[in-house]
Amino acid sequence: MKPCKPEHILSDPLLNKGTAFTKSERDRLKLSGLIPYHVSTLEQQVQRRYQNFKAQTTDLAKHLFLSSIHNRNEVLFYKLVSEHITEMLPYIYTPTVGDVSLHYSYLYTEPRGIYLSYPQKNKIEEIINNISQDEIDVIVVTDGERILGLGDLGIGGMAIPVGKLTLYTLFGGIHPGRTLPIMLDVGTNNPTLLNDPLYLGWHEKRISGKEYYAFIDRFVKAIKKRFPKVLLQWEDFGREHARPLLEKYRHQICSFNDDIQGTASVALASLLTAIKMNHAELHEQRIVIFGGGSAGIGIANHFLGAMIAAGITQEKALEQIYIIDVHGLVHLGLPNIPQHQKLFARPKRKGQIPLLDVVKEIRPTVLIGVSAQPGVFNEEVITTMAGYVERPIIFPLSNPTSKSEAHPADLLQWTKGKAIIATGSPFEDVTYQGKKFSIAQCNNVYIYPGIGLGVIACKAKEVSETMFYKAAEILSKHSPMLKTAHGTLFPSFEKLSEISREIALAVVKVAQDEGLSKKTDEKTRKKMVDAAIWHPKY
C-alpha cells in the first residue's frame, strides 16, 4: 500500500479496510487509535453490516445505507452485496434507483464520478486530464434526458451510471477503481427542477442542435485522448440523440448504447427461450413492439438481424415485426415518421390504428412493451391476444415498476396461467390456481457486464452486433424454463458472474474472428478473461 496520510486512507474507499486493518498495518500507517482495537475479518464485517442493512425500514433507507458503505469501503460493499445479491440488487439499481434519480439533489452527499456542465465546455479537456485514475476500463455516461421511464431528470441521471458500474463490478468483475461514471449536464427541460432552488444541476433549458453535438464531440475527443482504449457506454439518452450518437461514435471510440443494444439482446434471449417452449421458430413469430423509441427500435433491429442470421430474407423478416408508437401502428400513411422507424413502417393505411385493433388483425404471438405507459396492456388487449395464441409471449419491459405496461398477476389471470412473461422491473412471485409462477426480470444486467468484460479483456477496437447476438444465445441456454415448465426465463443472479464469464469468452472469440482483436487460442482467451476479473478481498 502506497504511503498516505491516515485520514486519507480511511476516507478512500479503495484503500480503506476499516476494522480489518491488521495490528502491523495500523502501526505502519499510523492508524492506531483511529479505529476500534479489535481486528475484524472481512466475513465479520459483512455479518455486522448485513444486520445493519436488515434494520433499515424503507427501500430508500436501504439504498442509502448500501451507498454509504460503497463510499467508505469498496471491498466490503462488493463482498456484502455479492453474498446477498438477489435481496440487495433492487436497492442498488431498479426500481429504487428511480427514486434516487428523482430526489438526487436532496440525497447527494459525497462526490462520485465526473460532472461536465455546459457552462464549463471550455474546460472539458482540463477536467478530463485532472481525473486521478491513470487507467480507466469502462465509462458509463448519460445526459439525464430519459432516465428509465421517468423522463428528463437532469443531473439526477448520475445515479444511473453509478448504479450500472456497480453491476459491472458485481457481475463482470471489473475493478471498481477502473470504472468512471460521467454526467453530461446540458440543462433540463423539467420545469420542476428548473424552479427548484436546491437543484444541483445547471438551471437552464437543455441545449440542442449544433450546440449539443459540438459539446458531445468535445467530450468524446477528450476521453479518447486521455483513455484511448476505454469502453464507453451510452446510457439513457433521449430518443432524438441516442441512435445518432451511437452511429456517429461507435467506430470512433469503442462504445455501445445499453438502451438500444443491451435491451435488445436480453429481449432476444427471452424470446429465444420462450419460442423454444412453444416449439416454434423465430421467423414464425408475429411480433408487436409497443413503443417506437430507442429501446423499441433497438429490439426490432436486433430481432430483424437474428431472423436474417437464421436464414430468411430481410423482406420476409420485416413482415413479422410491427411497431406501435404514439400515433398507433407505424405505417406509411402517417405524416412525419421518424427516420429510425421508417424501415419498420407497414404499407400505407388510413388514420391511426390502436393496439387493440392491431392485436385483432395480426394475432401476435409476441407482445413487447417499452412505452413507459402503465397498464396499456389491459384485459381486453390480453384476452384478445390469448384467444388466438395457445401460450402468448408478453414482455412488459418498461421500468421502474410504476411504468410497467401490465402487472404479471393480471397477465396470468387474463391468460389462464398460460402467458410466458418477462418484466423490466422486479416483481414478486405470483400464485395462480395453486401454482407458483416466478416472474423473470428482463434486466440488461444479464448482458452488458459480460460484454464489457470480454471487450476489456481483449481490448477490442469496437463492440459489434454479433457480440450481442452471441450473448443472447448463451443467456437463453441457461434458462431454467428449458429444464422445468414452471422455471423462470432467466437464471438467478447468483449464477450471473459465471454466465458473464462465459459471455465474455464468446465476445473475445467474436472480436478475434471479426478482426477487432489480436487472434489467440482458446487457452489464452481464458487467461485473458480471468486476468481481467477482480474479486472483493483484502
Side-chain angles (χ1 to χ4, degrees):
M1 186 177 291
K2 63 183 180 180
C4 192
K5 291 184 179 180
E7 60 270 24
H8 291 167
I9 293 172
L10 294 177
S11 63
D12 187 328
L14 287 170
L15 298 178
N16 184 27
K17 295 165 61 173
T19 57
F21 281 111
T22 65
K23 299 297 186 185
S24 60
E25 286 174 334
R26 297 179 190 204
D27 290 340
R28 177 165 53 87
L29 300 171
K30 304 186 187 309
L31 297 174
S32 296
L34 298 180
I35 47 182
Y37 178 79
H38 175 75
V39 177
S40 299
T41 64
L42 178 56
E43 290 70 25
Q44 288 173 327
Q45 288 181 313
V46 167
Q47 183 180 4
R48 186 180 298 120
R49 291 300 165 232
Y50 183 62
Q51 292 177 3
N52 295 155
F53 170 81
K54 297 293 287 186
Q56 308 305 310
T57 57
T58 68
D59 292 354
L60 192 56
K62 290 178 179 179
H63 169 87
L64 293 174
F65 175 77
L66 292 173
S67 181
S68 70
I69 301 175
H70 194 191
N71 289 330
R72 292 197 314 272
N73 184 334
E74 299 235 29
V75 170
L76 174 57
F77 169 79
Y78 285 108
K79 186 67 172 177
L80 170 66
V81 176
S82 65
E83 292 190 1
H84 304 280
I85 189 63
T86 298
E87 180 179 5
M88 293 183 175
L89 191 59
Y91 308 111
I92 295 171
Y93 204 64
T94 54
T96 309
V97 72
D99 288 334
V100 177
S101 296
L102 283 166
H103 304 101
Y104 187 80
S105 293
Y106 292 83
L107 299 174
Y108 177 86
T109 54
E110 298 180 49
R112 179 175 283 273
I114 299 295
Y115 299 82
L116 298 175
S117 299
Y118 185 69
Q120 299 172 315
K121 59 182 181 294
N122 294 326
K123 296 183 178 181
I124 287 180
E125 294 81 5
E126 178 185 346
I127 295 171
I128 298 300
N129 287 334
N130 286 337
I131 294 172
S132 59
Q133 295 104 307
D134 292 327
E135 294 184 5
I136 296 292
D137 286 332
V138 58
I139 290 172
V140 177
V141 61
T142 187
D143 70 353
E145 187 173 7
R146 193 203 62 80
I147 298 302
L148 303 177
L150 301 170
D152 183 352
L153 298 184
I155 206 170
M158 184 54 144
I160 303 300
V162 171
K164 288 278 186 178
L165 288 168
T166 300
L167 303 186
Y168 261 114
T169 299
L170 278 170
F171 298 118
I174 309 303
H175 191 294
R178 301 176 69 91
T179 69
L180 181 66
I182 295 182
M183 174 71 212
L184 302 178
D185 181 11
V186 293
T188 177
N189 293 334
N190 185 327
T192 301
L193 299 178
L194 289 173
N195 293 321
D196 185 353
L198 298 183
Y199 173 61
L200 287 172
W202 183 42
H203 282 245
E204 295 290 343
K205 289 189 175 181
R206 285 183 174 273
I207 60 171
S208 60
K210 292 182 179 179
E211 281 185 305
Y212 178 86
Y213 285 108
F215 183 76
I216 299 294
D217 200 57
R218 193 162 183 173
F219 156 71
V220 172
K221 288 177 179 176
I223 287 295
K224 188 176 180 180
K225 183 177 180 181
R226 177 76 198 277
F227 305 111
K229 296 181 180 179
V230 76
L231 170 63
L232 179 67
Q233 176 175 318
W234 304 95
E235 189 69 36
D236 284 357
F237 284 76
R239 173 189 297 200
E240 180 183 351
H241 298 132
R243 185 164 288 279
L245 290 176
L246 173 63
E247 296 304 328
K248 181 176 181 179
Y249 293 110
R250 66 187 305 176
H251 303 304
Q252 295 185 35
I253 186 171
C254 184
S255 59
F256 71 97
N257 184 301
D258 188 45
D259 305 300
I260 296 174
Q261 296 158 289
T263 299
S265 185
V266 75
L268 177 60
S270 308
L271 184 56
L272 290 174
T273 301
I275 61 178
K276 286 176 186 175
M277 295 300 298
N278 285 347
H279 306 289
E281 299 292 337
L282 180 59
H283 69 270
E284 296 172 341
Q285 305 308 304
R286 297 180 299 279
I287 302 169
V288 170
I289 300 173
F290 191 84
S294 300
I297 299 303
I299 290 171
N301 276 307
H302 215 60
F303 288 0
L304 178 66
M307 288 182 184
I308 294 171
I312 69 170
T313 65
Q314 176 171 299
E315 182 181 15
K316 175 62 178 175
L318 285 169
E319 292 176 358
Q320 307 303 112
I321 302 172
Y322 298 75
I323 306 295
I324 299 179
D325 207 12
V326 291
H327 300 299
L329 178 69
V330 175
H331 64 83
L332 294 175
L334 295 175
N336 304 318
I337 300 174
Q339 184 63 38
H340 66 285
Q341 295 179 356
K342 287 184 178 179
L343 178 63
F344 299 96
R346 311 304 296 183
K348 186 176 180 179
R349 306 281 291 273
K350 287 186 178 181
Q352 299 182 6
I353 305 171
L355 173 61
L356 181 59
D357 288 353
V358 173
V359 170
K360 289 178 178 179
E361 180 179 337
I362 75 160
R363 303 184 175 188
T365 58
V366 181
L367 180 59
I368 297 174
V370 280
S371 66
Q373 295 187 36
V376 70
F377 292 173
N378 59 38
E379 183 174 4
E380 187 175 11
V381 167
I382 300 304
T383 54
T384 301
M385 179 184 182
Y388 302 128
V389 183
E390 177 63 23
R391 293 204 70 185
I393 300 168
I394 307 172
F395 299 160
L397 300 184
S398 292
N399 55 46
T401 310
S402 61
K403 298 293 183 179
S404 181
E405 286 81 7
H407 196 289
D410 292 331
L411 294 176
L412 288 168
Q413 180 71 37
W414 298 334
T415 63
K416 299 180 180 179
K418 295 181 178 180
I420 300 176
I421 302 168
T423 59
S425 288
F427 282 88
E428 294 182 354
D429 294 346
V430 176
T431 299
Y432 175 76
Q433 292 189 349
K435 295 181 180 179
K436 189 168 90 169
F437 294 80
S438 296
I439 306 303
Q441 184 187 357
C442 195
N443 193 321
N444 294 15
V445 75
Y446 281 107
I447 294 293
Y448 72 81
I451 294 279
L453 175 60
V455 168
I456 290 166
C458 71
K459 296 179 171 54
K461 298 174 184 177
E462 295 181 11
V463 183
S464 73
E465 293 299 322
T466 311
M467 295 175 183
F468 287 98
Y469 295 146
K470 182 58 68 174
E473 290 176 7
I474 291 171
L475 178 58
S476 175
K477 182 181 70 175
H478 286 278
S479 172
M481 185 174 281
L482 298 178
K483 298 178 181 179
T484 173
H486 293 291
T488 62
L489 276 169
F490 294 109
S492 68
F493 289 123
E494 283 78 8
K495 296 182 179 179
L496 186 48
S497 292
E498 180 182 340
I499 295 170
S500 292
R501 179 181 178 275
E502 186 176 343
I503 289 173
L505 289 169
V507 165
V508 173
K509 188 174 187 307
V510 169
Q512 294 180 354
D513 290 345
E514 295 183 337
L516 299 173
S517 181
K518 183 180 178 181
K519 280 270 190 181
T520 66
D521 58 21
E522 182 179 358
K523 183 177 180 180
T524 303
R525 288 195 292 269
K526 289 181 179 180
K527 287 182 178 179
M528 291 164 60
V529 169
D530 290 339
I533 297 175
W534 174 84
H535 299 280
K537 58 184 179 182
Y538 294 134

